[in-house]
mmCIF file of all heavy atoms in Angstrom:
data_model
loop_
_atom_site.group_PDB
_atom_site.id
_atom_site.type_symbol
_atom_site.label_atom_id
_atom_site.label_comp_id
_atom_site.label_asym_id
_atom_site.label_seq_id
_atom_site.Cartn_x
_atom_site.Cartn_y
_atom_site.Cartn_z
ATOM 1 N N HIS A 55 -6.979 38.400 -1.281
ATOM 2 C CA HIS A 55 -6.810 39.751 -1.744
ATOM 3 C C HIS A 55 -6.233 39.800 -3.169
ATOM 4 O O HIS A 55 -5.844 40.900 -3.615
ATOM 5 C CB HIS A 55 -5.917 40.512 -0.765
ATOM 6 C CG HIS A 55 -6.548 40.832 0.514
ATOM 7 N ND1 HIS A 55 -6.761 39.886 1.508
ATOM 8 C CD2 HIS A 55 -7.108 42.004 0.980
ATOM 9 C CE1 HIS A 55 -7.346 40.429 2.544
ATOM 10 N NE2 HIS A 55 -7.593 41.705 2.268
ATOM 11 N N GLY A 56 -6.130 38.657 -3.803
ATOM 12 C CA GLY A 56 -5.706 38.652 -5.198
ATOM 13 C C GLY A 56 -4.310 39.127 -5.401
ATOM 14 O O GLY A 56 -4.010 39.772 -6.412
ATOM 15 N N GLU A 57 -3.429 38.839 -4.455
ATOM 16 C CA GLU A 57 -2.021 39.339 -4.585
ATOM 17 C C GLU A 57 -1.227 38.471 -5.526
ATOM 18 O O GLU A 57 -0.348 37.711 -5.137
ATOM 19 C CB GLU A 57 -1.383 39.413 -3.217
ATOM 20 C CG GLU A 57 -2.047 40.427 -2.297
ATOM 21 C CD GLU A 57 -1.406 40.439 -0.930
ATOM 22 O OE1 GLU A 57 -0.369 39.792 -0.761
ATOM 23 O OE2 GLU A 57 -1.959 41.100 -0.028
ATOM 24 N N ARG A 58 -1.508 38.485 -6.792
ATOM 25 C CA ARG A 58 -0.833 37.722 -7.793
ATOM 26 C C ARG A 58 -0.429 38.661 -8.899
ATOM 27 O O ARG A 58 -1.194 39.448 -9.362
ATOM 28 C CB ARG A 58 -1.666 36.553 -8.356
ATOM 29 C CG ARG A 58 -2.061 35.565 -7.268
ATOM 30 C CD ARG A 58 -2.881 34.451 -7.868
ATOM 31 N NE ARG A 58 -3.290 33.506 -6.845
ATOM 32 C CZ ARG A 58 -2.555 32.491 -6.426
ATOM 33 N NH1 ARG A 58 -1.386 32.279 -6.949
ATOM 34 N NH2 ARG A 58 -3.040 31.698 -5.486
ATOM 35 N N SER A 59 0.811 38.473 -9.399
ATOM 36 C CA SER A 59 1.270 39.371 -10.462
ATOM 37 C C SER A 59 0.527 39.123 -11.771
ATOM 38 O O SER A 59 0.322 40.049 -12.529
ATOM 39 C CB SER A 59 2.769 39.195 -10.652
ATOM 40 O OG SER A 59 3.093 37.870 -10.965
ATOM 41 N N LYS A 60 0.165 37.899 -11.997
ATOM 42 C CA LYS A 60 -0.523 37.568 -13.233
ATOM 43 C C LYS A 60 -1.580 36.509 -12.951
ATOM 44 O O LYS A 60 -1.397 35.671 -12.077
ATOM 45 C CB LYS A 60 0.447 36.984 -14.257
ATOM 46 C CG LYS A 60 1.535 37.984 -14.719
ATOM 47 C CD LYS A 60 2.463 37.335 -15.693
ATOM 48 C CE LYS A 60 3.578 38.277 -16.085
ATOM 49 N NZ LYS A 60 4.533 37.648 -17.078
ATOM 50 N N LEU A 61 -2.686 36.549 -13.712
ATOM 51 C CA LEU A 61 -3.732 35.561 -13.517
ATOM 52 C C LEU A 61 -3.229 34.153 -13.747
ATOM 53 O O LEU A 61 -3.642 33.182 -13.140
ATOM 54 C CB LEU A 61 -4.906 35.820 -14.459
ATOM 55 C CG LEU A 61 -5.798 36.994 -14.077
ATOM 56 C CD1 LEU A 61 -6.890 37.174 -15.163
ATOM 57 C CD2 LEU A 61 -6.440 36.800 -12.700
ATOM 58 N N GLN A 62 -2.282 33.961 -14.736
ATOM 59 C CA GLN A 62 -1.841 32.635 -15.043
ATOM 60 C C GLN A 62 -0.928 32.040 -13.935
ATOM 61 O O GLN A 62 -0.542 30.886 -14.017
ATOM 62 C CB GLN A 62 -1.041 32.592 -16.394
ATOM 63 C CG GLN A 62 0.082 33.560 -16.445
ATOM 64 C CD GLN A 62 -0.324 34.847 -17.182
ATOM 65 O OE1 GLN A 62 -1.429 35.304 -16.970
ATOM 66 N NE2 GLN A 62 0.549 35.386 -17.996
ATOM 67 N N ASP A 63 -0.619 32.860 -12.911
ATOM 68 C CA ASP A 63 0.121 32.299 -11.770
ATOM 69 C C ASP A 63 -0.776 31.391 -10.877
ATOM 70 O O ASP A 63 -0.237 30.678 -10.072
ATOM 71 C CB ASP A 63 0.722 33.443 -10.932
ATOM 72 C CG ASP A 63 1.826 34.165 -11.625
ATOM 73 O OD1 ASP A 63 2.411 33.586 -12.547
ATOM 74 O OD2 ASP A 63 2.087 35.328 -11.280
ATOM 75 N N GLN A 64 -2.073 31.495 -11.086
ATOM 76 C CA GLN A 64 -3.004 30.667 -10.267
ATOM 77 C C GLN A 64 -2.742 29.197 -10.589
ATOM 78 O O GLN A 64 -2.685 28.752 -11.735
ATOM 79 C CB GLN A 64 -4.431 31.025 -10.647
ATOM 80 C CG GLN A 64 -5.457 30.171 -9.940
ATOM 81 C CD GLN A 64 -5.555 30.511 -8.474
ATOM 82 O OE1 GLN A 64 -5.945 31.600 -8.106
ATOM 83 N NE2 GLN A 64 -5.182 29.545 -7.648
ATOM 84 N N ILE A 65 -2.586 28.395 -9.552
ATOM 85 C CA ILE A 65 -2.404 26.967 -9.617
ATOM 86 C C ILE A 65 -3.694 26.256 -9.299
ATOM 87 O O ILE A 65 -4.343 26.605 -8.308
ATOM 88 C CB ILE A 65 -1.240 26.476 -8.730
ATOM 89 C CG1 ILE A 65 0.066 27.146 -9.123
ATOM 90 C CG2 ILE A 65 -1.094 24.943 -8.825
ATOM 91 C CD1 ILE A 65 0.523 26.837 -10.544
ATOM 92 N N ILE A 66 -4.060 25.289 -10.097
ATOM 93 C CA ILE A 66 -5.304 24.535 -9.844
ATOM 94 C C ILE A 66 -4.968 23.039 -9.747
ATOM 95 O O ILE A 66 -4.017 22.553 -10.366
ATOM 96 C CB ILE A 66 -6.380 24.783 -10.931
ATOM 97 C CG1 ILE A 66 -5.841 24.515 -12.350
ATOM 98 C CG2 ILE A 66 -6.910 26.205 -10.835
ATOM 99 C CD1 ILE A 66 -6.835 24.684 -13.442
ATOM 100 N N LEU A 67 -5.778 22.336 -8.948
ATOM 101 C CA LEU A 67 -5.698 20.905 -8.840
ATOM 102 C C LEU A 67 -6.756 20.272 -9.807
ATOM 103 O O LEU A 67 -7.921 20.617 -9.718
ATOM 104 C CB LEU A 67 -5.946 20.449 -7.416
ATOM 105 C CG LEU A 67 -5.959 18.940 -7.163
ATOM 106 C CD1 LEU A 67 -4.563 18.330 -7.316
ATOM 107 C CD2 LEU A 67 -6.541 18.631 -5.764
ATOM 108 N N PHE A 68 -6.288 19.388 -10.633
ATOM 109 C CA PHE A 68 -7.170 18.724 -11.634
ATOM 110 C C PHE A 68 -7.144 17.240 -11.396
ATOM 111 O O PHE A 68 -6.084 16.638 -11.387
ATOM 112 C CB PHE A 68 -6.719 19.093 -13.058
ATOM 113 C CG PHE A 68 -7.560 18.463 -14.153
ATOM 114 C CD1 PHE A 68 -8.911 18.450 -14.088
ATOM 115 C CD2 PHE A 68 -6.930 17.903 -15.256
ATOM 116 C CE1 PHE A 68 -9.673 17.871 -15.094
ATOM 117 C CE2 PHE A 68 -7.685 17.338 -16.313
ATOM 118 C CZ PHE A 68 -9.067 17.345 -16.226
ATOM 119 N N ARG A 69 -8.360 16.659 -11.254
ATOM 120 C CA ARG A 69 -8.438 15.179 -11.092
ATOM 121 C C ARG A 69 -9.390 14.609 -12.172
ATOM 122 O O ARG A 69 -10.415 15.187 -12.437
ATOM 123 C CB ARG A 69 -9.021 14.839 -9.701
ATOM 124 C CG ARG A 69 -8.908 13.368 -9.279
ATOM 125 C CD ARG A 69 -9.965 12.431 -9.896
ATOM 126 N NE ARG A 69 -11.301 12.802 -9.530
ATOM 127 C CZ ARG A 69 -11.929 12.382 -8.463
ATOM 128 N NH1 ARG A 69 -11.342 11.571 -7.610
ATOM 129 N NH2 ARG A 69 -13.197 12.764 -8.192
ATOM 130 N N HIS A 70 -8.983 13.511 -12.799
ATOM 131 C CA HIS A 70 -9.819 12.792 -13.685
ATOM 132 C C HIS A 70 -9.500 11.327 -13.534
ATOM 133 O O HIS A 70 -8.396 10.923 -13.053
ATOM 134 C CB HIS A 70 -9.683 13.260 -15.138
ATOM 135 C CG HIS A 70 -8.291 13.084 -15.697
ATOM 136 N ND1 HIS A 70 -7.860 11.927 -16.216
ATOM 137 C CD2 HIS A 70 -7.258 13.951 -15.749
ATOM 138 C CE1 HIS A 70 -6.603 12.044 -16.648
ATOM 139 N NE2 HIS A 70 -6.233 13.292 -16.368
ATOM 140 N N TYR A 71 -10.404 10.488 -13.901
ATOM 141 C CA TYR A 71 -10.242 9.034 -13.755
ATOM 142 C C TYR A 71 -10.305 8.320 -15.091
ATOM 143 O O TYR A 71 -11.040 8.701 -15.954
ATOM 144 C CB TYR A 71 -11.252 8.453 -12.803
ATOM 145 C CG TYR A 71 -11.163 6.978 -12.654
ATOM 146 C CD1 TYR A 71 -10.153 6.410 -11.877
ATOM 147 C CD2 TYR A 71 -12.070 6.101 -13.300
ATOM 148 C CE1 TYR A 71 -10.023 5.061 -11.785
ATOM 149 C CE2 TYR A 71 -11.947 4.721 -13.195
ATOM 150 C CZ TYR A 71 -10.933 4.209 -12.431
ATOM 151 O OH TYR A 71 -10.782 2.854 -12.324
ATOM 152 N N SER A 72 -9.544 7.250 -15.179
ATOM 153 C CA SER A 72 -9.591 6.270 -16.291
ATOM 154 C C SER A 72 -8.763 6.772 -17.469
ATOM 155 O O SER A 72 -8.108 7.804 -17.384
ATOM 156 C CB SER A 72 -11.051 6.023 -16.684
ATOM 157 O OG SER A 72 -11.135 4.883 -17.541
ATOM 158 N N ALA A 73 -8.833 6.018 -18.513
ATOM 159 C CA ALA A 73 -8.019 6.306 -19.704
ATOM 160 C C ALA A 73 -8.458 7.638 -20.261
ATOM 161 O O ALA A 73 -9.630 7.833 -20.501
ATOM 162 C CB ALA A 73 -8.120 5.209 -20.759
ATOM 163 N N CYS A 74 -7.527 8.550 -20.492
ATOM 164 C CA CYS A 74 -7.879 9.846 -21.074
ATOM 165 C C CYS A 74 -7.468 9.889 -22.537
ATOM 166 O O CYS A 74 -6.521 9.236 -22.929
ATOM 167 C CB CYS A 74 -7.273 11.023 -20.288
ATOM 168 S SG CYS A 74 -5.456 11.096 -20.420
#
Side-chain angles (χ1 to χ4, degrees):
H55 288 76
E57 295 177 9
R58 298 182 182 273
S59 57
K60 298 178 181 179
L61 286 178
Q62 55 262 38
D63 290 338
Q64 176 72 63
I65 299 297
I66 54 179
L67 176 69
F68 179 44
R69 192 280 300 272
H70 60 85
Y71 177 74
S72 193
C74 68

